[in-house]
Amino acid sequence: MKILVPVKRVVDPNVKVRVKADGSGVDLTSVKMSMNPFDEIAVEEAVRLKEAGKATEIVVVSAGIAAAQDALRTALAMGADRAILVDTDAEVQPLAVAKILKALVDKEQPKLVIAGKQAIDDDSNQTGQMLAALLGWPQATFISKLVPGADDITITREIDGGLEQLAVKLPAVVTVDLRLNEPRYATLPNIMKAKKKPLETVKPADLGVDVTPRLTILKVAEPPTRSAGVIVSDVAQLVDKLKNVAKVI
Amino acid sequence: MSTYDAPLADMKFDMNELAGLKEILALPAFAEIDADTVDAVLEEASKFATEQIDPINIIGDRKNSPKWDNGVVTVSPEYKSVYNQFRDNGWHAMPGAPEYGGQGLPNLVNFAVNEMWRSASIAFALCPMLTMGAVHAIEHHASDELKRKYLPNMVAGIWSGTMNLTEPQAGSDLTAIKTKAKPNPNGDGTYLITGTKIFITWGEHDMAENIIHLVLARLPNSDPGLKGISLFLVPKFLVGDDGSLGARNDLICSAIEHKLGIKGSATAVMSYGDHDGAIGWLIGKEGNGVAYMFTMMNHARIHVGLEGISVAERAYQHSLAYARERIQGAIIGDAASKTTPKPILFHPDVRRLLMEQKARTEALRAVGYYAAGQMDIANFSTDPAAKKKAQAILELLTPIVKGWSTESSIELTSAGVQVHGGTGFIEETGAAQYYRDCRITAIYEGTTAIQANDYVGRKTAREVNKETGDVAFTARGLYKEILAFANGLAADAELGDIGKVLADATQALIDATEWVVGIYNTDPANAHAGSVPYLKLGGIVTGGWLLAKSAKIAQAKLGAGETGGYYKGKIATARYYAKHVLVQAQGLKATITEGGPAVFGLDEPLF
């Protein structure tokens, strides 16, 4: 079974981001970047499937600027076999990424796509679902367990009411949640070997995909700072405040 | 509590812009390594340092330090587990030679990665550091048989290594060594070792399966001086020809020390030969023990200097995190802060302390990385002239990196405690640990005075060019180069003020050097009375030179359209350093050239 894992290069989760003064976005200059943590979990799961003899090849894909190669190299160092960079300076939005992935799935014919459930920069949580729709494949989102079968997989997904178990026919798209696994550290010998693994670069146009953004960002702003609370003396005052100050009842 | 965040931007800047990583990677020795791989190694190492090593630093210090019981030393489960991962993930083997399982990366890259381990926990990182020291000694001087038998497991970190030099009566002066070695009466070519060694870092512990001790000892009827000392390999467990572990050797850890800092590491008293004698193997030739130790001195000293740099960086990050969140008092000159409180980072003197930590740590790193790069050029350049020059610069800078970085780290971690105010004096905040941990670095592997003696004597006044007869030619050449750069920078519209201070400071160093060279043969005690200030002056000026150079490079990058606070910061730290640190050069020059007699101004009975 071939597995395709999309990965995204995002602001490192430990970085405290700042909004640009003009409100056009987050200031990324000199900011540490890393692989999206959910994608690390996806790569880890694929590598574990391969180590268990359930997968034959792991292809990792990223769409973005040339520096997105760093995320691909990290995935190769973790154990992926080869990488494809879809090189574009344009801002790639979820639908464009889904179309790019659709084109690559058509070409690569994997049986399973394991994606992070969302990227921690824009938190869109759309790409996996859009990809499944474009492919006409079954999808299972937010999975916290994956057990491969003969021509299906059994997954556990986290839902509001608890855990849901589903059998999903292959080929399929799954998106992973935090509790699926704990990603490994790449070992030094594997980091050194990663350089020798194939990394292919293509342009969106080569795949016949138009990545022109469909969404316009109007403004990016810091969340409003919370003001201090007040202690109310009785229920009547609480109701009054909720009615007249917070205006929620 | 803060979390360690490797300063990758500054590390990469120093490696690329100051230390010549590009030129080093272009050397045939590193044909297999490229810049992307180096980046990937640094990234992954920073992750491991932050997530795995940094959290155990406090455990080794205050929660669960190594415990001694009847010769057995047990470390905390956390230390053991991180050591196992460190070894299994291949980090231990990294600096080793490829034929023994290492990665063949440039020393400069190893240096940067090692900075991360040591910033995260100097006590933990000492174990692999000592093992690699022993590996180098065996690799360069032992027989092929010993190399084959011991190196693969030592490089991998399955076995650890130690260096046994010090004895109660033999500290800085190794001639006083008494530990004895005699040929094994069974005639198998081994030796029996008896004696006591102290201050043996990681001399006993349970993280590795075997511990390989390198022990300096005297053979019967040998020269009573340094030439009578030989080096022996003495394993904790005897190793069979197939590499299997056999009987326990006749050596025991009789105690571990209670220390001011680096409490996470076990500092052992080692007792050899309580019964028949510990079985040892001679490394290299008889009587060459001390010489073998000295061939590794540059390496070991530069690495202890790096410990100073690393802890200074970690302490800065710790105090910065605190200064950003602690709110206390209205800010002088900022009326609005009375109603809208601001963190202490905005107080002028906290600001100064943080600049002191940041700018001076960057200066230390710049000189350390520059020296580490010179080591690669000296070892691997294909151009004999470049090799020779790099080796000379490395030797000149070695006592500076060791002595100046470690002495500075004491002041900078102290500044870190100061930023914390009263809570800095309380162990829970963690600021005190860095202050305690770095204290040893100015002592072991040659105290600051030993470094200063080396710098003023062998590296300066006693350095003679065999071909031309010139004295102190490496020092004079380097300082001339710095002066020329400073004079050029003095004409710069934006950075001219930095250039002028650097030029004056360099002139002070040149004047002090000429004074030292002039007086050394007639009044060496006078020269040595000012040797530590002279070492400090050398450090301050070389640091100022590389920071000024960094500012110039940053200016060019900003001019070429590169954005980002990092380059602006580089100019700001260079300027701070010029106005607060480089200006001290004049005072140091006066101390060096005029202060000697005052050192001897009080007759001994009057003390």
Side-chain angles (χ1 to χ4, degrees):
Chain A
M1 173 169 76
K2 190 196 260 190
I3 299 177
L4 189 131
V5 183
V7 301
K8 185 176 183 183
R9 177 176 177 266
V10 297
V11 174
D12 187 89
N14 296 316
V15 170
K16 275 188 192 152
V17 293
R18 286 171 197 237
V19 173
K20 282 190 205 163
D22 64 1
S24 63
V26 168
D27 191 356
L28 292 181
T29 42
S30 316
V31 167
K32 190 179 174 199
M33 307 293 281
S34 305
M35 194 199 305
N36 177 36
F38 290 105
D39 301 347
E40 278 193 321
I41 295 169
V43 173
E44 175 67 31
E45 195 64 16
V47 174
R48 287 186 189 187
L49 286 170
K50 193 178 172 198
E51 284 170 347
K54 305 290 183 192
T56 49
E57 189 187 20
I58 302 163
V59 182
V60 285
V61 179
S62 191
I65 56 171
Q69 277 190 36
D70 296 352
L72 291 172
R73 290 280 174 216
T74 307
L76 292 172
M78 287 173 72
D81 297 294
R82 62 190 172 90
I84 302 170
L85 171 69
V86 183
D87 182 19
T88 171
D89 290 341
E91 182 212 339
V92 273
Q93 295 178 343
L95 182 59
V97 178
K99 286 179 180 171
I100 285 170
L101 293 174
K102 157 86 166 63
L104 287 171
V105 167
D106 288 345
K107 196 173 145 209
E108 294 284 341
Q109 297 288 319
K111 272 194 124 171
L112 181 63
V113 174
I114 308 180
K117 72 166 182 177
Q118 66 200 66
I120 59 158
D121 49 2
D122 55 21
D123 280 334
S124 294
N125 190 350
Q126 295 170 2
T127 305
Q129 294 88 330
M130 286 174 167
L131 173 64
L134 290 172
L135 287 166
W137 285 8
Q139 60 174 296
T141 52
F142 321 148
I143 68 164
S144 56
K145 197 174 173 195
L146 190 160
V147 181
D151 48 10
D152 64 355
I153 50 173
T154 307
I155 58 93
T156 305
R157 62 191 297 265
E158 303 190 346
I159 57 171
D160 287 345
L163 301 174
E164 180 181 42
Q165 261 201 6
L166 296 171
V168 186
K169 279 227 163 66
L170 294 174
V173 176
V174 297
T175 74
V176 304
D177 214 328
L178 280 183
R179 278 156 292 274
L180 179 62
N181 61 46
E182 199 181 317
R184 71 194 60 198
Y185 292 98
T187 68
L188 181 61
N190 284 344
I191 297 169
M192 308 292 288
K193 279 180 214 145
K195 182 67 201 169
K196 297 196 175 85
K197 290 184 178 176
L199 192 156
E200 179 193 351
T201 302
V202 295
K203 297 273 178 195
D206 302 337
L207 302 170
V209 177
D210 175 12
V211 295
T212 313
R214 305 284 190 94
L215 309 169
T216 314
I217 292 171
L218 300 178
K219 193 179 167 214
V220 176
E222 304 266 357
T225 39
R226 266 178 75 171
S227 46
V230 280
I231 293 172
V232 291
S233 51
D234 52 33
V235 176
Q237 199 188 358
L238 173 66
V239 173
D240 176 63
K241 292 243 181 223
L242 288 172
K243 230 178 209 163
N244 301 316
V245 182
K247 295 191 171 104
V248 289
I249 53 173
Chain B
M1 278 294 150
S2 64
T3 302
Y4 174 61
D5 184 14
L8 291 175
D10 203 51
M11 290 173 159
K12 288 182 190 174
F13 181 92
D14 285 358
M15 292 167 84
N16 290 311
E17 308 294 342
L18 303 177
L21 180 63
K22 205 176 151 201
E23 293 74 20
I24 292 167
L25 289 178
L27 296 173
F30 304 115
E32 297 284 303
I33 317 286
D34 63 9
D36 286 347
T37 308
V38 170
D39 277 357
V41 169
L42 295 177
E43 293 283 343
E44 194 65 24
S46 79
K47 230 161 90 182
F48 193 86
T50 298
E51 295 169 12
Q52 295 296 315
I53 304 179
D54 195 48
I56 64 168
N57 197 34
I58 181 175
I59 294 172
D61 184 67
R62 303 197 281 295
K63 295 184 179 158
N64 197 356
S65 312
K67 301 276 181 303
W68 180 92
D69 181 30
N70 200 20
V72 176
V73 174
T74 314
V75 302
S76 65
E78 292 87 353
Y79 256 59
K80 218 169 163 171
S81 136
V82 172
Y83 184 87
N84 288 345
Q85 262 200 86
F86 184 79
R87 182 195 60 210
D88 293 347
N89 287 7
W91 294 113
H92 193 288
M94 184 184 67
E99 55 180 313
Y100 299 113
Q103 293 297 343
L105 288 161
N107 175 66
L108 179 58
V109 178
N110 292 331
F111 204 71
V113 170
N114 270 298
E115 182 188 326
M116 300 186 215
W117 308 148
R118 290 162 197 184
S119 277
S121 176
I122 169 175
F124 173 83
L126 266 168
C127 190
M129 174 176 159
L130 265 291
T131 304
M132 290 318 292
V135 163
H136 284 299
I138 297 171
E139 194 180 336
H140 287 110
H141 305 295
S143 66
D144 287 345
E145 193 196 337
L146 289 178
K147 285 188 213 174
R148 268 197 306 273
K149 203 163 178 178
Y150 291 95
L151 287 184
N153 277 336
M154 290 179 77
V155 168
I158 297 166
W159 299 345
S160 70
T162 70
M163 306 294 251
N164 290 237
L165 283 73
T166 307
E167 297 176 12
Q169 76 294 344
S172 295
D173 178 14
L174 294 175
T175 51
I177 279 179
K178 282 186 186 158
T179 296
K180 289 193 188 81
K182 63 172 186 190
N184 197 329
N186 72 8
D188 67 352
T190 63
Y191 294 81
L192 297 178
I193 318 288
T194 47
T196 300
K197 293 284 180 180
I198 60 167
F199 300 165
I200 308 310
T201 306
W202 284 111
E204 174 61 30
H205 61 91
D206 58 346
M207 299 192 292
E209 292 170 14
N210 198 3
I211 302 175
I212 313 304
H213 302 284
L214 299 192
V215 183
L216 285 181
R218 288 185 182 282
L219 283 162
N221 310 318
S222 56
D223 180 286
L226 287 180
K227 285 180 182 152
I229 298 170
S230 306
L231 184 63
F232 298 88
L233 183 156
V234 190
K236 176 177 164 185
F237 291 102
L238 299 174
V239 179
D241 290 335
D242 59 351
S244 61
L245 297 185
R248 177 74 196 241
N249 206 350
D250 182 13
L251 59 92
I252 191 159
C253 165
S254 48
I256 59 174
E257 308 287 355
H258 300 277
K259 296 169 294 186
L260 175 67
I262 57 167
K263 295 183 183 191
S265 64
T267 302
V269 177
M270 297 301 301
S271 184
Y272 293 91
D274 287 352
H275 303 288
D276 304 324
I279 299 172
W281 282 260
L282 178 69
I283 290 181
K285 290 190 188 127
E286 286 181 15
N288 275 4
V290 174
Y292 295 158
M293 287 286 145
F294 270 93
T295 56
M296 294 173 304
M297 216 55 113
N298 278 335
H299 195 263
R301 288 182 170 174
I302 290 265
H303 272 265
V304 173
L306 179 60
E307 292 186 323
I309 301 167
S310 306
V311 185
E313 168 66 36
R314 186 67 187 90
Y316 165 63
Q317 293 189 14
H318 199 69
S319 50
L320 177 63
Y322 183 78
R324 277 195 197 285
E325 81 190 18
R326 170 74 172 168
I327 290 170
Q328 192 70 192
I331 308 297
I332 295 163
D334 180 355
S337 68
K338 281 180 191 149
T339 46
T340 316
K342 282 186 176 171
I344 58 168
L345 180 139
F346 290 92
H347 286 302
D349 192 63
V350 174
R351 201 62 168 250
R352 181 189 65 81
L353 286 167
L354 291 169
M355 277 305 272
E356 190 81 3
Q357 287 187 288
K358 180 173 164 61
R360 287 177 61 190
T361 302
E362 286 181 14
L364 302 182
R365 179 178 296 114
V367 178
Y369 281 39
Y370 180 77
Q374 296 297 303
M375 204 182 275
D376 283 315
I377 298 167
N379 289 341
F380 300 107
S381 177
T382 46
D383 171 4
K387 251 175 117 95
K388 207 169 152 189
K389 188 182 173 197
Q391 182 63 30
I393 299 274
L394 170 66
E395 286 185 16
L396 176 69
L397 293 182
T398 296
I400 289 180
V401 173
K402 188 342 184 148
W404 174 63
S405 304
T406 59
E407 287 288 337
S408 299
S409 76
I410 298 167
E411 295 168 17
L412 297 173
T413 53
S414 176
V417 171
Q418 196 70 16
V419 169
H420 285 73
T423 61
F425 200 66
I426 308 297
E427 291 286 4
E428 278 107 280
T429 58
Q433 186 187 349
Y434 304 121
Y435 182 47
R436 291 185 286 101
D437 276 355
C438 76
R439 194 61 191 83
I440 184 63
T441 62
I443 299 170
Y444 61 18
E445 205 60 57
T447 61
T448 305
I450 300 264
Q451 307 307 318
N453 287 347
D454 184 41
Y455 180 56
V456 78
R458 205 160 74 84
K459 304 295 168 63
T460 303
R462 291 197 281 118
E463 189 205 39
V464 183
N465 186 325
K466 280 180 198 138
E467 287 144 37
T468 61
D470 289 345
V471 177
F473 62 97
T474 305
R476 281 170 166 161
L478 179 66
Y479 308 153
K480 215 172 122 188
E481 200 182 315
I482 296 176
L483 187 62
F485 169 80
N487 285 331
L489 192 67
D492 187 288
E494 186 195 0
L495 306 174
D497 59 330
I498 299 175
K500 283 196 191 84
V501 180
L502 177 63
D504 289 347
T506 312
Q507 191 56 53
L509 174 60
I510 290 170
D511 294 348
T513 303
E514 293 311 321
W515 180 85
V516 160
V517 170
I519 201 173
Y520 199 83
N521 290 329
T522 52
D523 192 0
N526 194 351
H528 280 275
S531 64
V532 169
Y534 181 63
L535 177 83
K536 192 172 170 185
L537 177 58
I540 282 176
V541 170
T542 43
W545 166 51
L546 291 173
L547 280 194
K549 215 169 155 179
S550 303
K552 183 79 192 153
I553 293 162
Q555 181 193 45
K557 298 252 183 204
L558 288 166
E562 293 214 35
T563 52
Y566 177 77
Y567 294 120
K568 285 181 193 150
K570 217 65 218 176
I571 294 173
T573 48
R575 180 162 283 121
Y576 175 89
Y577 189 91
K579 311 277 179 186
H580 285 251
V581 184
L582 272 177
V583 290
Q584 297 166 15
Q586 309 308 326
L588 287 166
K589 173 190 154 186
T591 302
I592 297 156
T593 58
E594 297 162 30
V599 169
F600 303 104
L602 189 66
D603 288 339
E604 183 265 329
L606 298 177
F607 272 95

